[in-house]
Amino acid sequence: MNPWISLLQQHRIIAVIRADNVMTAREMALAAAAGGIKLIEIAWNTDRAESLIPKLQQELPDCKIGTGTVLDIDSVERAIGCGCSFLFTPHTNPELIAKGVESNIPVIAGALTPTEIITAWQAGAAAVKVFPIKVFGGVEYLKCLQPVLRDIPLIPTGGITIQNADQFLAAGAIAVGISSHLFSPEAIAEDDWTTIIARSQTLIQKVQPFQNQ
């Protein structure tokens, strides 16, 4: 089986981190990892993401650290160069996908409609990020997609919460990406990393029945 797909099936959760301060982003990643999350995405527009990602790879050897919000070929090349394990884009750009394929780095392209999803998959995306899924009906939209797109690994983001993450997995998502509902603004503002750890643990417990399926 494809190693990337195996990772997704094993872990099911991707913590998505975006921060204006590199030290805050680092603490967010450390808290998520302490709570049991193994796949961590540092948005490329996070403060000093390019230096943070390799640092986190060293600090968290049991985790896979990737990046997201990658918009152009220069960013893809720099992200690959700094050691990202995977790349998320908010859109579908065959050139970016091809660069990932060439470098043996999974690129998860963003799409929303069936046409966009199939286009991304046929271009070589390692999986497709269905974003922002909440504007199209959340879990119900994914249920509509699954009968015709079941062979395409879908990762919904944008509207995933601790409460509904397992519902998306039950509806057929191979994994989910979660951001603000894990890293609550209140906890971040107060440097309350204990709460972030606890929320990560709760999330892992909720999705445990789907891991390694």
Side-chain angles (χ1 to χ4, degrees):
M1 180 172 290
N2 181 305
W4 169 244
I5 298 301
S6 295
L7 272 176
L8 293 175
Q9 290 176 328
Q10 180 181 353
H11 299 298
R12 300 294 187 179
I13 298 295
I14 301 161
V16 181
I17 293 171
R18 180 177 287 103
D20 294 331
N21 180 284
V22 66
M23 293 307 299
T24 299
R26 175 177 174 270
E27 292 293 345
M28 292 166 71
L30 295 179
I37 295 175
K38 301 297 186 183
L39 302 178
I40 299 173
E41 173 192 330
I42 305 296
W44 194 246
N45 55 3
T46 288
D47 177 39
R48 287 175 273 178
E50 197 166 356
S51 61
L52 175 62
I53 289 165
K55 180 179 178 64
L56 287 174
Q57 291 280 27
Q58 291 184 333
E59 290 185 286
L60 302 171
D62 293 335
C63 296
K64 296 292 185 182
I65 313 297
T67 192
T69 321
V70 181
L71 302 177
D72 53 49
I73 195 68
D74 177 66
S75 298
V76 168
E77 291 174 344
R78 288 166 56 196
I80 292 171
C82 77
C84 286
S85 296
F86 56 86
L87 310 176
F88 275 77
T89 68
H91 64 312
T92 294
N93 181 324
E95 182 183 12
L96 306 190
I97 295 170
K99 188 65 180 179
V101 172
E102 174 189 321
S103 305
N104 200 31
I105 302 295
V107 174
I108 301 86
L112 188 56
T113 67
T115 297
E116 293 169 348
I117 292 168
I118 292 170
T119 298
W121 182 244
Q122 291 179 342
V128 180
K129 167 183 172 176
V130 186
F131 168 80
I133 197 164
K134 65 181 178 181
V135 303
F136 263 34
V139 172
E140 292 305 314
Y141 181 56
L142 187 64
K143 288 179 179 178
C144 291
L145 293 175
Q146 276 303 113
V148 291
L149 302 179
R150 65 174 68 245
D151 293 332
I152 301 177
L154 301 179
I155 304 176
T157 69
I160 310 302
T161 69
I162 293 174
Q163 291 71 33
N164 69 19
D166 57 340
Q167 297 172 35
F168 280 97
L169 296 175
I174 194 166
V176 296
I178 183 169
S179 183
S180 60
H181 286 274
L182 175 62
F183 303 105
S184 66
E186 296 80 12
I188 300 302
E190 297 173 6
D191 292 334
D192 183 3
W193 308 118
T194 300
T195 291
I196 302 300
I197 293 171
R199 291 171 71 85
S200 299
Q201 291 171 332
T202 298
L203 181 59
I204 292 298
Q205 289 171 358
K206 286 208 69 170
V207 306
Q208 191 171 17
F210 299 94
Q211 293 176 330
N212 293 312
Q213 283 190 2

